[in-house]
Amino acid sequence: MNILVTNDDGIQAEGIRNLAEALREVADIYLCAPHTQRSGSGHSITIERKVFAQEVPYPGVVKAIRLEGTPADCVKMGLQIYSDAGIVIDKVFSGINHGANMGTDTLYSGTVGAALEGSLCGLPSVAVSIDARNPIQYDTARELAVRAAKLDFAPIDGNMMLNINVPNLAKDEIRGVKVTGLGLREYDEWYEKITEADGTFGYRYSGNPVYYEGLDADACDVGAAQAGYATITPLHFNLTSYELIDKLRDQWR
């Protein structure tokens, strides 16, 4: 099996090194990752400028490409670059992200966007994240990634992906794994004004996730994570609100 591995934290991040190292147990690993931090890129792609790619040395993988593009670029272009070299990619993995991607985070996440791009390309795809900006506990995330790589995706809709989130806890402190839907992920957020020496200024986004008192661990991914569980959520690119279609049709006749 050949697995394409990418992320949104950049090719030098500790998370992608852990993911590639773990997946080596079950596959040959081909990297294509951003040359720098690209968190918050969502599912964006580059369309109005050249995207430069360079093969670089990387321990433990067959080949690694550093790409000056978004995470979704890395999947689209990585698949083409490796295909042109006669390499058939079987699955796409994105991560391990430094920070959770739960609930409405998934709309902004470059990690999830890359995995969604893999699913759009017809490949089984998985995003893996740890709920900490500076994670130190990788064991469970690595284990779940390997289990996902072994998963039989045949009965699962080919246009979907798996979104895995893991607490930054030692394995024996994690309460288990829950398969859940997405929840609401809100932030106590703000924009910090940054003034330069010449008087020009800009803003830098920052925020902390809201903790929901009394949220049931079985309600959604956010509730399960708050209760100390790892979560797995199947995601689909189709954002249609089907329950409103007939109502809207009635109003627009």
Side-chain angles (χ1 to χ4, degrees), residues 14-131:
E14 186 67 15
I16 194 172
R17 184 193 67 77
N18 269 273
L19 182 58
E21 188 176 83
L23 292 174
R24 255 181 9 206
E25 297 178 20
V26 293
D28 289 330
I29 306 303
Y30 294 84
L31 247 67
C32 186
H35 73 298
T36 190
Q37 171 64 253
R38 295 305 301 260
S39 292
S41 297
H43 202 157
S44 64
I45 59 172
T46 304
I47 59 175
E48 293 190 0
R49 65 173 179 82
K50 294 178 182 177
V51 178
F52 293 95
Q54 180 182 10
E55 188 171 335
V56 295
Y58 199 96
V61 306
V62 181
K63 285 189 178 182
I65 296 168
R66 183 173 60 206
L67 196 77
E68 295 184 15
T70 69
D73 284 333
C74 290
V75 174
K76 290 178 77 72
M77 296 183 66
L79 289 175
Q80 180 173 321
I81 291 169
Y82 287 127
S83 176
D84 290 346
I87 298 159
V88 177
I89 298 296
D90 300 295
K91 295 182 179 180
V92 174
F93 274 70
S94 180
I96 296 170
N97 193 63
H98 301 180
N101 282 304
M102 298 181 289
T104 41
D105 288 340
T106 57
L107 298 174
Y108 303 97
S109 168
T111 303
V112 172
L116 278 173
E117 183 58 38
S119 72
L120 285 175
C121 293
L123 295 175
S125 299
V126 179
V128 186
S129 304
I130 294 178
D131 193 6

Side-chain angles (χ1 to χ4, degrees), residues 98-164:
H98 301 180
N101 282 304
M102 298 181 289
T104 41
D105 288 340
T106 57
L107 298 174
Y108 303 97
S109 168
T111 303
V112 172
L116 278 173
E117 183 58 38
S119 72
L120 285 175
C121 293
L123 295 175
S125 299
V126 179
V128 186
S129 304
I130 294 178
D131 193 6
R133 296 310 304 167
N134 295 292
I136 58 173
Q137 300 288 351
Y138 283 95
D139 288 352
T140 301
R142 289 168 60 120
E143 179 183 313
L144 291 178
V146 171
R147 288 180 62 184
K150 295 177 180 178
L151 185 67
D152 179 12
F153 277 74
I156 303 173
D157 182 349
N159 290 320
M160 75 98 217
M161 55 157 285
L162 297 182
N163 186 39
I164 299 174

Side-chain angles (χ1 to χ4, degrees), residues 109-229:
S109 168
T111 303
V112 172
L116 278 173
E117 183 58 38
S119 72
L120 285 175
C121 293
L123 295 175
S125 299
V126 179
V128 186
S129 304
I130 294 178
D131 193 6
R133 296 310 304 167
N134 295 292
I136 58 173
Q137 300 288 351
Y138 283 95
D139 288 352
T140 301
R142 289 168 60 120
E143 179 183 313
L144 291 178
V146 171
R147 288 180 62 184
K150 295 177 180 178
L151 185 67
D152 179 12
F153 277 74
I156 303 173
D157 182 349
N159 290 320
M160 75 98 217
M161 55 157 285
L162 297 182
N163 186 39
I164 299 174
N165 283 277
V166 181
N168 187 38
L169 299 172
K171 185 176 179 179
D172 60 359
E173 296 177 334
I174 295 175
R175 298 178 64 186
V177 179
K178 286 187 178 289
V179 178
T180 69
L182 295 179
L184 181 64
R185 178 82 155 167
E186 295 176 295
Y187 287 81
D188 175 16
E189 58 188 357
W190 63 90
Y191 282 91
E192 178 187 2
K193 186 176 180 179
I194 308 295
T195 302
E196 304 293 342
D198 62 0
T200 59
F201 61 89
Y203 294 86
R204 181 184 292 118
Y205 174 81
S206 189
N208 297 310
V210 172
Y211 182 87
Y212 298 96
E213 295 288 347
L215 184 59
D216 191 336
D218 292 319
C220 60
D221 56 352
V222 177
Q226 285 188 175
Y229 291 91

